[in-house]
Amino acid sequence: MAKESGAQAAPRTLAEVLRSWPADRLGRLLRERPDLATPAPHDSAQLASRAATRASVSRALDQLTHGELLVLDALVIAGQTTPEGLSALVRVSDVRSTAVSDALAHLENLALCWRAPEGLRPLTTIAELLVGTDGTSGLRPIGPDPRPSDAIAADLEAVSTEARALLAHVVAAGGTGRTQAARTIGDPAEARTPVEELLARGLLVPAGSGTVVVPGEVGLALHGGRTTDEPVDVTPELATGSRDPKLVARAAAGAAFELTRRVELLLDRWGTHPPAALRTGGLGVRDLKAASTLLGVEAGEAALIIEVCFAAGLLATGTTADEVDAWLPTEAFDAWSTLGSAPRWVRLAGAWLASPRTPALVGTRDSGGKAINALAPELSSGLQAQTRRAALEEIAALPEGDVLATGTGVPSLVARIRWLRPRRPTSRDAQVAASVTEAGMLGFAGLGAVPAYARALLHGDAEEAVRLLDPLLPQPVDHLLVQADLTAVAPGPLTSEISRALHLLADVESRGGATVYRFGKDSLRRAFDAGWSATEVHAYLEGLSRTPLPQPLTYLVDDVARTFGTVRVGHAESFLRADDEGALTELMHHPKAASLRLRRIAPTVIVSDTPLDVLLPRLRELGAAPVVEAADGTVGVARADIQRARLPRTPRAVATRETARNEARINAVVSAIRAGDAAREIGAARPREATSPTAALAALREAVEARSTVLIGYVDNHGSTSERMVDPRRVEGGQLTAYDHRSDDVRTFAVHRITVVQPTAP
């Protein structure tokens, strides 16, 4: 707290304390309690009022450690005390002797307490919010006229064992109890029950309607004169092991590369075959399972990858060409695909780090027994991003070479986060464990540690993260080794363009240090469906392969090309036409063709009453490779067009631009509060006299000419009156144009709404 001069009276209220703070300390308060800055308070009085509201205090308490909560609890019980008296109420180990003073300084910086002439004072709202909080004493605050401690000790010695046990039970239950028929008597000798005995000695106090309470000083005496049984400065330690940092970095970088590869593979697929969006906005279970199969991962990891795509702005709901709501890649995915592997990962990991989504809950059931789907709107938590960052920062703070121990590391991290953020522990515990698992899947951690590139991203330096990650990732290759068994080996990760093309021409058979692709009839038909010709396939593979193309592959391409497109499908409801009569004859006599209701009307023409969109996939199931014939006789390509969704919102930036904008906003709010304080001081020093519009115009024009600052009282559209310090620039048409010190901007004011115009000191 800022030091006061000897002639200046000590501040009595929180508003006076805030008014005495320097700008940097006020800015720190607004950064740590950002809800106080929106909208900008008029002055320190409004800031103090807002800081004392129940909702704001509750959010501030969520930021406190278990030790700080214990110190604050002791201050609430004491009511008003000195720092020395507060230190006597709590236990401190030999680990950190400054624990109480450090905690008290943090509580003051958060405006949860302040130093009045009578001593340290907590906000009155805190007492009710701390009741029932796990880990606090549960004692009631000490009243203004407490009984002497020696008198309480004598009464505790004099009561019976039953009465002492009852009193301890009431204290453990929060200091409040109920009794049916207890007499209030003055002589303990007349007591017939333990309750009457305690009431007679003042160890219980009636509170009306059969309720009795334990005075704060009595509860404190039962606790041995201290509010805590445990030291306030002993933080749970992490269970750790040791690993080579280089091994940690390589393991994490491998997972990071796999993430970027799987995101590209998934969204490439969904660009042509998008899954439908549920009416509730989520992704269906079947579509999640299909994505899991496509990516070669468990359903939980597939859900995580999908949620990361959504958080990064690469995936959104859109409307397909068939007017169906579906999950589609956004235009941002096309830009993301042009980046290198390291910038790709930074974009994804940064989005996950800031995301409130909880992918770990996918597949579980809500309180109503309903299964929770991936991408469901309700799959969010206000604590998730904060808990995720807190867990990763604790792991990142480990010395180089230390990692979370296998088995015991995660439980120790859960216990540590519970101590650092003890409020709402049930939800946080699960989120901490899930954050560690997800970090390992995404390459943010490896083998129980956070590598250097992830630490850089954790601290907001995206460029440094890219620089450190890039050398750890495998360099892309632009060639294959085609083999005689219709397989091709990619000796490393392929470039984005080659990888997309090869996924069209072949199927992945195995992955590892080298990826093995297999060519087959179905994969080549997939390429022909996309518009490739046999000549283009031959030329592409010859240019890509470092080995000569084997004859089996050449023959396979030519064989599929000869049968591809020999049957043309049109509307009759549908018709089939082919120059090869044998192909139609074979199709007519196929054992599974009866349901298609085919009828031959010419040697080279067959018609069917089956709709074209049904007939086409059924013919492919029978082994045919038809192409669609347009009305003018030209051949169309039966392929799915790439579809995109509009980006619904701007993805959260990973770099420090957001931080810079937030700092500028905080500085503006501090300036507005200071301007409001100055206006209040001027208004208090001079009598306020209402003015007419004519007098206001004259005074404002005089201020314009003198280039002076004035204090105006202004009534806004909602009828609220505020005082503003302004520098009048122009008065015209019933409007005042002036620089407003509070908003740090040039504003326009209606003159008829100005109630007061007062000049200020130069």
Side-chain angles (χ1 to χ4, degrees):
M1 183 175 166
K3 293 183 179 180
E4 305 290 340
S5 63
Q8 193 173 16
R12 300 186 60 86
T13 66
L14 179 59
E16 293 176 0
V17 171
L18 296 178
R19 200 170 293 123
S20 69
W21 281 7
D24 59 342
R25 188 175 183 185
L26 199 59
R28 182 169 58 188
L29 169 66
L30 298 177
R31 279 189 293 273
E32 295 188 2
R33 296 180 65 178
D35 58 293
L36 302 181
T38 306
H42 290 164
D43 51 29
S44 294
Q46 190 177 79
L47 176 63
S49 174
R50 192 178 296 176
T53 60
R54 184 184 179 91
S56 182
V57 171
S58 179
R59 282 190 286 266
L61 293 180
D62 288 343
Q63 303 177 38
L64 301 183
T65 67
H66 182 56
E68 290 166 346
L69 277 177
L70 291 177
V71 172
L72 184 59
D73 180 53
L75 180 57
V76 169
I77 293 168
Q80 292 179 352
T81 184
T82 62
E84 295 75 21
L86 185 63
S87 297
L89 291 176
V90 297
R91 296 185 186 275
V92 181
S93 69
D94 297 331
V95 176
R96 186 159 58 93
S97 59
T98 61
V100 175
S101 59
D102 292 344
L104 187 57
H106 189 211
L107 295 174
E108 288 186 82
N109 287 333
L110 289 176
L112 295 175
C113 66
W114 73 96
R115 304 190 186 213
E118 302 83 5
L120 291 169
R121 291 188 58 185
L123 293 174
T124 55
T125 319
I126 295 174
E128 57 183 284
L129 289 174
L130 285 183
V131 172
T133 301
D134 291 340
T136 57
S137 65
L139 300 178
R140 297 178 60 83
I142 297 175
D145 297 314
R147 293 177 60 195
S149 57
D150 54 350
I152 295 174
D155 283 335
L156 289 175
E157 286 291 332
V159 297
S160 64
T161 304
E162 294 81 1
R164 179 71 178 259
L166 175 62
L167 184 61
H169 174 73
V170 176
V171 170
T176 303
R178 293 188 63 82
T179 180
Q180 295 295 331
R183 299 176 303 158
T184 303
I185 56 179
D187 186 359
E190 299 178 7
R192 295 194 299 244
T193 64
V195 174
E196 292 180 356
E197 186 179 353
L198 295 172
L199 288 170
R201 295 187 179 275
L203 300 178
L204 281 181
V205 178
S209 302
T211 302
V212 292
V213 298
V214 180
E217 61 271 22
V218 175
L220 188 62
L222 285 175
H223 272 244
R226 294 184 183 270
T227 61
T228 59
D229 296 325
E230 56 182 315
V232 299
D233 58 340
V234 178
T235 308
E237 297 294 331
L238 294 181
T240 60
S242 60
R243 290 274 191 173
D244 183 358
K246 294 181 179 179
L247 183 61
V248 168
R250 287 197 297 269
F257 177 77
E258 283 298 308
L259 172 65
T260 60
R261 184 188 63 78
R262 285 171 176 148
V263 167
E264 183 178 29
L265 178 61
L266 176 70
L267 296 187
D268 265 339
R269 174 69 176 175
W270 283 6
T272 55
H273 299 80
L278 300 178
R279 283 182 295 179
T280 57
L283 180 72
V285 175
R286 289 185 179 180
D287 292 318
L288 176 61
K289 185 176 181 180
S292 172
T293 303
L294 174 67
L295 301 179
V297 297
E298 297 294 330
E301 187 169 355
L304 172 62
I305 293 171
I306 292 168
E307 288 285 348
V308 169
C309 293
F310 176 72
L314 307 183
L315 180 67
T317 52
T319 305
T320 66
D322 300 329
E323 300 296 326
V324 175
D325 291 335
W327 289 101
L328 294 167
T330 65
E331 298 93 337
F333 169 65
D334 298 313
W336 177 86
S337 300
T338 64
L339 302 174
S341 296
R344 286 186 184 188
W345 180 84
V346 166
R347 170 77 177 272
L348 297 172
W352 168 76
L353 188 63
S355 172
R357 307 284 293 172
T358 55
L361 295 181
V362 173
T364 62
R365 296 190 176 274
D366 59 18
S367 57
K370 182 181 177 182
I372 300 177
N373 297 92
L375 299 173
E378 64 271 16
L379 203 65
S380 293
S381 168
L383 296 174
Q384 178 64 74
Q386 181 189 50
T387 303
R388 182 185 293 129
R389 176 173 286 277
L392 292 174
E393 285 177 345
E394 289 301 313
I395 303 175
L398 291 173
E400 189 174 18
D402 284 3
V403 301
L404 286 181
T406 303
T408 58
V410 173
S412 70
L413 178 62
V414 169
R416 185 176 178 87
I417 297 298
R418 187 186 301 150
W419 195 94
L420 293 173
R421 295 291 183 268
R423 287 168 62 85
R424 305 175 188 173
T426 304
S427 59
R428 285 189 189 274
D429 290 356
Q431 289 174 0
V432 170
S435 298
V436 177
T437 303
E438 292 172 6
M441 293 178 179
L442 301 180
F444 213 103
L447 305 178
V450 175
Y453 68 83
R455 284 199 300 271
L457 184 60
L458 193 62
H459 299 148
D461 195 342
E463 294 181 359
E464 180 68 7
V466 171
R467 187 187 69 80
L468 294 174
L469 175 60
D470 196 54
L472 300 173
L473 298 176
Q475 297 303 309
V477 298
D478 59 356
H479 61 274
L480 294 173
L481 303 175
V482 181
Q483 304 179 111
D485 60 350
L486 299 181
T487 62
V489 177
L494 296 171
T495 62
S496 178
E497 297 78 7
I498 295 176
S499 177
R500 290 186 179 189
L502 205 57
H503 278 295
L504 200 62
L505 293 165
D507 297 315
V508 176
E509 189 168 84
S510 66
R511 300 188 186 277
T515 305
V516 178
Y517 295 85
R518 177 167 293 280
F519 298 96
K521 291 183 179 181
D522 291 339
S523 66
L524 291 173
R525 282 175 185 157
R526 193 164 61 230
F528 290 143
D529 276 343
W532 291 58
S533 66
T535 303
E536 289 173 330
V537 173
H538 285 308
Y540 186 78
L541 293 178
E542 287 173 357
L544 201 59
S545 178
R546 291 290 176 86
T547 57
L549 289 187
Q551 277 191 342
L553 179 58
T554 303
Y555 289 162
L556 177 64
V557 173
D558 292 339
D559 185 53
V560 174
R562 277 193 300 271
T563 60
F564 182 80
T566 55
V567 177
R568 300 183 179 188
V569 178
H571 292 279
E573 178 73 19
S574 304
F575 72 85
L576 295 81
R577 184 169 68 83
D579 296 329
D580 184 358
E581 297 180 17
L584 293 184
T585 301
E586 180 182 353
L587 197 58
M588 286 285 294
H589 292 86
H590 196 287
K592 295 183 179 180
S595 62
L596 300 180
R597 297 184 292 277
L598 301 176
R599 182 168 62 90
R600 198 165 194 161
I601 61 175
T604 58
V605 180
I606 294 176
V607 295
S608 172
D609 59 357
T610 303
L612 181 62
D613 58 346
V614 176
L615 180 62
L616 198 60
R618 293 294 304 279
L619 290 175
R620 287 174 176 160
E621 292 175 5
L622 299 182
V627 293
V628 178
E629 185 175 281
D632 59 358
T634 60
V635 176
V637 177
R639 54 165 292 194
D641 292 328
I642 296 176
Q643 302 177 75
R644 291 290 182 264
R646 291 185 177 180
L647 187 62
R649 65 185 187 280
T650 303
R652 186 185 296 269
V654 180
T656 56
R657 294 180 183 176
E658 186 69 25
T659 303
R661 285 196 295 268
N662 188 55
E663 282 298 311
R665 188 175 66 85
I666 292 295
N667 292 336
V669 173
V670 171
S671 298
I673 293 172
R674 289 294 179 243
D677 289 341
R680 179 180 286 269
E681 289 178 4
I682 293 171
R686 300 186 180 186
R688 296 183 55 181
E689 298 180 0
T691 183
S692 65
T694 303
L697 280 172
L700 292 172
R701 288 197 175 101
E702 181 179 344
V704 170
E705 297 301 327
R707 298 182 181 180
S708 61
T709 301
V710 297
L711 174 69
I712 64 172
Y714 191 72
V715 181
D716 62 16
N717 293 332
H718 302 289
S720 300
T721 302
S722 61
E723 295 177 331
R724 296 172 178 263
M725 287 181 62
V726 299
D727 298 338
R729 301 280 180 85
R730 184 173 65 255
V731 180
E732 187 176 320
Q735 299 287 325
L736 165 67
T737 302
Y739 169 77
D740 183 5
H741 288 242
R742 178 174 176 273
S743 63
D744 192 22
D745 197 6
V746 176
R747 303 286 297 273
T748 301
F749 304 90
V751 174
H752 71 276
R753 293 181 178 271
I754 297 176
T755 59
V756 175
V757 179
Q758 288 184 222
T760 64

